[in-house]
Short mmCIF file of all heavy atoms in Angstrom, two decimals:
data_model
loop_
_atom_site.label_atom_id
_atom_site.label_comp_id
_atom_site.label_asym_id
_atom_site.label_seq_id
_atom_site.Cartn_x
_atom_site.Cartn_y
_atom_site.Cartn_z
N LEU M 406 -51.47 231.42 -24.16
CA LEU M 406 -51.88 230.72 -22.94
C LEU M 406 -51.15 231.27 -21.72
O LEU M 406 -51.74 231.41 -20.64
CB LEU M 406 -51.63 229.22 -23.09
CG LEU M 406 -52.49 228.50 -24.13
CD1 LEU M 406 -52.09 227.02 -24.23
CD2 LEU M 406 -53.97 228.62 -23.79
N VAL M 407 -49.86 231.58 -21.91
CA VAL M 407 -49.09 232.18 -20.81
C VAL M 407 -49.67 233.55 -20.46
O VAL M 407 -49.81 233.89 -19.28
CB VAL M 407 -47.60 232.30 -21.19
CG1 VAL M 407 -46.85 233.12 -20.15
CG2 VAL M 407 -46.97 230.92 -21.32
N GLU M 408 -50.02 234.31 -21.49
CA GLU M 408 -50.61 235.64 -21.25
C GLU M 408 -51.94 235.50 -20.51
O GLU M 408 -52.23 236.27 -19.58
CB GLU M 408 -50.82 236.36 -22.58
CG GLU M 408 -49.53 236.83 -23.23
CD GLU M 408 -49.79 237.51 -24.57
OE1 GLU M 408 -50.98 237.64 -24.95
OE2 GLU M 408 -48.82 237.91 -25.23
N PHE M 409 -52.74 234.51 -20.94
CA PHE M 409 -54.03 234.29 -20.27
C PHE M 409 -53.81 233.90 -18.81
O PHE M 409 -54.53 234.36 -17.91
CB PHE M 409 -54.82 233.19 -20.98
CG PHE M 409 -55.31 233.60 -22.35
CD1 PHE M 409 -55.51 232.65 -23.34
CD2 PHE M 409 -55.54 234.93 -22.65
CE1 PHE M 409 -55.94 233.02 -24.60
CE2 PHE M 409 -55.97 235.31 -23.92
CZ PHE M 409 -56.18 234.35 -24.89
N LYS M 410 -52.81 233.00 -18.59
CA LYS M 410 -52.52 232.58 -17.21
C LYS M 410 -52.02 233.76 -16.38
O LYS M 410 -52.36 233.90 -15.21
CB LYS M 410 -51.49 231.46 -17.21
CG LYS M 410 -52.06 230.13 -17.68
CD LYS M 410 -51.01 229.03 -17.60
CE LYS M 410 -51.59 227.70 -18.04
NZ LYS M 410 -50.58 226.61 -18.00
N LEU M 411 -51.18 234.59 -17.03
CA LEU M 411 -50.68 235.76 -16.32
C LEU M 411 -51.83 236.69 -15.98
O LEU M 411 -51.91 237.21 -14.86
CB LEU M 411 -49.64 236.48 -17.20
CG LEU M 411 -49.05 237.77 -16.62
CD1 LEU M 411 -48.33 237.48 -15.31
CD2 LEU M 411 -48.11 238.42 -17.62
N GLN M 412 -52.73 236.89 -16.96
CA GLN M 412 -53.88 237.74 -16.70
C GLN M 412 -54.75 237.15 -15.60
O GLN M 412 -55.24 237.86 -14.72
CB GLN M 412 -54.70 237.90 -18.00
CG GLN M 412 -55.92 238.80 -17.87
CD GLN M 412 -55.56 240.24 -17.52
OE1 GLN M 412 -54.48 240.70 -17.87
NE2 GLN M 412 -56.44 240.93 -16.83
N GLU M 413 -54.90 235.82 -15.68
CA GLU M 413 -55.69 235.14 -14.66
C GLU M 413 -55.04 235.30 -13.29
O GLU M 413 -55.72 235.54 -12.28
CB GLU M 413 -55.82 233.66 -15.01
CG GLU M 413 -56.67 232.85 -14.05
CD GLU M 413 -56.74 231.38 -14.43
OE1 GLU M 413 -56.27 231.02 -15.53
OE2 GLU M 413 -57.25 230.61 -13.62
N SER M 414 -53.67 235.18 -13.27
CA SER M 414 -52.95 235.34 -12.00
C SER M 414 -53.12 236.75 -11.46
O SER M 414 -53.30 236.94 -10.25
CB SER M 414 -51.46 235.04 -12.20
OG SER M 414 -51.27 233.71 -12.60
N VAL M 415 -53.03 237.73 -12.37
CA VAL M 415 -53.21 239.12 -11.95
C VAL M 415 -54.61 239.32 -11.37
O VAL M 415 -54.78 239.94 -10.31
CB VAL M 415 -52.97 240.08 -13.14
CG1 VAL M 415 -53.37 241.50 -12.76
CG2 VAL M 415 -51.50 240.03 -13.55
N GLU M 416 -55.60 238.76 -12.07
CA GLU M 416 -56.97 238.91 -11.58
C GLU M 416 -57.17 238.18 -10.26
O GLU M 416 -57.84 238.69 -9.35
CB GLU M 416 -57.94 238.38 -12.64
CG GLU M 416 -57.99 239.24 -13.90
CD GLU M 416 -58.86 238.64 -15.00
OE1 GLU M 416 -59.40 237.54 -14.76
OE2 GLU M 416 -59.01 239.26 -16.06
N ARG M 417 -56.57 236.98 -10.16
CA ARG M 417 -56.69 236.24 -8.90
C ARG M 417 -55.98 236.99 -7.77
O ARG M 417 -56.49 237.07 -6.65
CB ARG M 417 -56.07 234.84 -9.06
CG ARG M 417 -56.93 233.88 -9.85
CD ARG M 417 -56.29 232.51 -9.89
NE ARG M 417 -57.12 231.55 -10.60
CZ ARG M 417 -56.79 230.30 -10.83
NH1 ARG M 417 -55.62 229.85 -10.40
NH2 ARG M 417 -57.58 229.49 -11.47
N TYR M 418 -54.77 237.52 -8.11
CA TYR M 418 -54.03 238.27 -7.10
C TYR M 418 -54.83 239.48 -6.66
O TYR M 418 -54.94 239.77 -5.46
CB TYR M 418 -52.67 238.69 -7.65
CG TYR M 418 -52.02 239.78 -6.83
CD1 TYR M 418 -51.47 239.51 -5.59
CD2 TYR M 418 -51.99 241.09 -7.30
CE1 TYR M 418 -50.89 240.51 -4.83
CE2 TYR M 418 -51.42 242.10 -6.55
CZ TYR M 418 -50.86 241.80 -5.32
OH TYR M 418 -50.30 242.79 -4.58
N THR M 419 -55.42 240.16 -7.64
CA THR M 419 -56.22 241.35 -7.31
C THR M 419 -57.40 240.97 -6.44
O THR M 419 -57.70 241.63 -5.44
CB THR M 419 -56.72 242.03 -8.61
OG1 THR M 419 -55.58 242.34 -9.42
CG2 THR M 419 -57.48 243.29 -8.29
N SER M 420 -58.08 239.86 -6.82
CA SER M 420 -59.22 239.40 -6.02
C SER M 420 -58.77 238.95 -4.65
O SER M 420 -59.42 239.24 -3.63
CB SER M 420 -59.93 238.25 -6.75
OG SER M 420 -60.45 238.68 -7.98
N LEU M 421 -57.64 238.21 -4.62
CA LEU M 421 -57.12 237.73 -3.34
C LEU M 421 -56.80 238.88 -2.41
O LEU M 421 -57.11 238.86 -1.22
CB LEU M 421 -55.87 236.87 -3.60
CG LEU M 421 -55.18 236.29 -2.37
CD1 LEU M 421 -56.09 235.30 -1.67
CD2 LEU M 421 -53.87 235.61 -2.76
N LYS M 422 -56.17 239.91 -2.98
CA LYS M 422 -55.81 241.06 -2.16
C LYS M 422 -57.05 241.83 -1.73
O LYS M 422 -57.16 242.26 -0.58
CB LYS M 422 -54.85 241.96 -2.97
CG LYS M 422 -54.27 243.11 -2.15
CD LYS M 422 -53.20 243.85 -2.93
CE LYS M 422 -53.83 244.62 -4.07
NZ LYS M 422 -52.87 245.55 -4.72
N LYS M 423 -57.99 241.95 -2.68
CA LYS M 423 -59.17 242.75 -2.40
C LYS M 423 -60.06 242.09 -1.36
O LYS M 423 -60.58 242.75 -0.44
CB LYS M 423 -59.95 242.99 -3.69
CG LYS M 423 -61.20 243.85 -3.52
CD LYS M 423 -61.87 244.08 -4.86
CE LYS M 423 -63.13 244.94 -4.70
NZ LYS M 423 -63.80 245.18 -6.00
N TYR M 424 -60.24 240.77 -1.49
CA TYR M 424 -61.19 240.07 -0.62
C TYR M 424 -60.51 239.29 0.50
O TYR M 424 -61.17 238.53 1.20
CB TYR M 424 -62.05 239.12 -1.45
CG TYR M 424 -62.88 239.84 -2.49
CD1 TYR M 424 -62.54 239.78 -3.84
CD2 TYR M 424 -63.99 240.61 -2.13
CE1 TYR M 424 -63.28 240.45 -4.80
CE2 TYR M 424 -64.74 241.28 -3.08
CZ TYR M 424 -64.38 241.20 -4.42
OH TYR M 424 -65.12 241.86 -5.36
N ASN M 440 -49.46 250.37 -2.45
CA ASN M 440 -50.89 250.06 -2.54
C ASN M 440 -51.33 249.37 -1.26
O ASN M 440 -50.50 248.97 -0.44
CB ASN M 440 -51.18 249.18 -3.76
CG ASN M 440 -52.59 249.38 -4.30
OD1 ASN M 440 -53.48 249.85 -3.58
ND2 ASN M 440 -52.79 249.03 -5.56
N ILE M 507 -39.06 241.31 -8.93
CA ILE M 507 -39.32 241.58 -10.35
C ILE M 507 -37.98 241.48 -11.08
O ILE M 507 -37.02 242.19 -10.73
CB ILE M 507 -39.95 242.97 -10.56
CG1 ILE M 507 -41.31 243.04 -9.84
CG2 ILE M 507 -40.10 243.26 -12.05
CD1 ILE M 507 -41.98 244.39 -9.95
N TYR M 515 -44.36 243.05 0.69
CA TYR M 515 -45.75 243.01 1.11
C TYR M 515 -45.75 242.82 2.63
O TYR M 515 -45.05 241.94 3.14
CB TYR M 515 -46.51 241.84 0.48
CG TYR M 515 -46.74 241.96 -1.00
CD1 TYR M 515 -46.07 241.13 -1.90
CD2 TYR M 515 -47.64 242.91 -1.51
CE1 TYR M 515 -46.28 241.23 -3.26
CE2 TYR M 515 -47.86 243.01 -2.87
CZ TYR M 515 -47.18 242.18 -3.74
OH TYR M 515 -47.39 242.28 -5.09
#
Side-chain angles (χ1 to χ4, degrees):
L406 293 177
V407 171
E408 289 178 2
F409 291 152
K410 287 183 179 178
L411 178 60
Q412 181 63 29
E413 182 181 351
S414 298
V415 171
E416 291 175 359
R417 285 183 178 177
Y418 164 73
T419 303
S420 297
L421 179 65
K422 187 172 70 170
K423 181 177 180 180
Y424 298 106
N440 208 338
I507 298 178
Y515 291 110

